[in-house]
């Protein structure tokens, strides 16, 4: 079973739409959670950390549900520039091999004019 | 401040040759990670360093792959006797280990092409 699972999409949405991505993780010892964004042929870049109480950054809202072991990302008022692959990342520390990050395979989003 | 840097940005090599990839993490970041990403695929974990030691080498695909880190800073990933299936983007990331949330920051990657 994969540590982190995401729907690969693709999600094709019109400009201005609201879109939500979910991600599930298998290890209940997971401690830190993140969403990264990766543009085509570029490195992943941190979009936002996900806190237990949920957090918002402009049009982006992240939620964590520890009981069900999933995290979500909501994007409101989608812009063309939001088109990218969104990676769900889970951190487990300490583990028997030290600090470790687990990446989902990513969800592809295309915002259409 | 300066981010994670990697060199070279692109490397084309012939099958069977050895290559060395370099990563300069963010100053003060104690943890360093190597990943690789094939075209259209997700990130594949290779190895993780905490300081100069590597608690987790489980992702190295074969004994042709090795990595070291010296002085708790720069890391090199060496691939011996390269094969065509080694062609990928090799990404390095660093992280500050501590309490609370700590994020990984990625370098721009080295695009390796084995011909």
């Amino acid at each position: 079973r994969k540590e982190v699972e995401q729907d690969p999409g693709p999600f094709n949405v019109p400009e201005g739409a609201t879109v939500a991505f979910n991600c599930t993780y298998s290890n209940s010892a997971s401690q830190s959670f993140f969403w990264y964004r990766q543009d085509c042929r570029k490195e992943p870049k941190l979009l936002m950390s996900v806190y237990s109480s949920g957090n918002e950054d402009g049009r982006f809202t992240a939620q964590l549900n520890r009981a069900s072991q999933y995290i979500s990302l909501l994007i409101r008022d989608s812009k063309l520039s939001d088109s990218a692959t969104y990676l769900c990342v889970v951190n487990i520390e300490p583990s028997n091999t030290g600090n470790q990050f687990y990446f989902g395979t990513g969800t592809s989003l295309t915002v259409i004019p | 401040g300066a981010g994670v840097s990697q060199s070279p940005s692109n490397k084309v090599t012939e099958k069977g040759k050895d290559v060395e990839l370099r990563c300069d993490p963010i100053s003060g970041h104690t943890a360093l990670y190597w990943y690789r990403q094939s075209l259209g695929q997700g990130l594949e974990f290779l190895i993780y360093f905490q300081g100069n030691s590597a608690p987790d080498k489980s992702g190295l695909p074969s004994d042709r792959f090795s990595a070291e880190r010296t002085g708790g800073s720069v890391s090199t990933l060496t691939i011996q006797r390269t094969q065509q299936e080694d062609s990928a983007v090799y990404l390095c990331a660093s992280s500050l280990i501590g309490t609370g949330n700590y994020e990984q920051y990625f370098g721009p990657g080295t695009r390796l092409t084995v011909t």
Side-chain angles (χ1 to χ4, degrees):
Chain A
R1 184 181 175 187
K2 291 183 181 178
E3 292 282 349
V4 179
E5 302 225 35
Q6 290 183 254
D7 179 350
F11 284 66
N12 299 316
V13 302
E15 261 186 300
T18 295
V19 61
F21 308 135
N22 284 334
C23 161
T24 58
Y25 60 94
S26 60
N27 192 326
S28 59
S30 301
Q31 295 179 291
S32 302
F33 309 88
F34 310 91
W35 284 101
Y36 278 73
R37 170 196 170 123
Q38 186 172 27
D39 293 285
C40 188
R41 299 175 75 86
K42 296 284 191 179
E43 74 273 22
K45 293 192 174 173
L46 179 68
L47 179 65
M48 58 198 302
S49 302
V50 186
Y51 301 116
S52 296
S53 55
N55 47 302
E56 188 174 306
D57 183 2
R59 297 181 294 108
F60 299 84
T61 301
Q63 295 279 351
L64 166 64
N65 185 319
R66 285 191 184 271
S68 301
Q69 294 185 199
Y70 78 82
I71 67 173
S72 64
L73 177 68
L74 182 78
I75 306 175
R76 291 181 299 279
D77 188 23
S78 300
K79 311 290 184 192
L80 297 177
S81 57
D82 294 334
S83 298
T85 296
Y86 291 83
L87 304 173
C88 170
V89 184
V90 169
N91 172 262
I92 300 172
E93 190 270 332
S95 71
N96 60 354
T97 53
N99 189 275
Q100 186 54 279
F101 289 83
Y102 296 93
F103 284 75
T105 52
T107 299
S108 173
L109 171 67
T110 301
V111 180
I112 304 163
Chain B
V4 178
S5 61
Q6 292 186 246
S7 61
S9 54
N10 279 285
K11 177 72 177 177
V12 180
T13 190
E14 290 180 353
K15 178 180 171 182
K17 301 274 187 174
D18 298 352
V19 295
E20 197 171 273
L21 313 180
R22 176 188 168 109
C23 172
D24 248 297
I26 293 172
S27 177
H29 278 195
T30 54
L32 185 148
Y33 304 79
W34 283 99
Y35 300 88
R36 74 176 176 181
Q37 189 172 33
S38 301
L39 191 62
Q41 303 297 310
L43 269 71
E44 178 187 359
F45 168 77
L46 298 178
I47 187 169
Y48 150 64
F49 286 93
Q50 177 58 39
N52 291 336
S53 64
D56 190 351
K57 304 179 184 179
S58 63
L60 294 178
S62 75
D63 58 8
R64 297 186 295 104
F65 288 72
S66 63
E68 64 175 16
R69 189 180 186 196
T70 54
S73 182
V74 172
S75 175
T76 54
L77 176 69
T78 301
I79 309 173
Q80 295 178 308
R81 305 181 303 281
T82 50
Q83 303 294 313
Q84 287 186 329
E85 62 262 29
D86 299 334
S87 296
V89 176
Y90 289 80
L91 291 160
C92 173
S94 72
S95 175
L96 179 64
I97 298 299
T99 56
N101 281 9
Y102 35 86
E103 303 90 355
Q104 280 191 328
Y105 296 90
F106 283 83
T110 294
R111 186 172 302 277
L112 175 66
T113 304
V114 182
T115 61

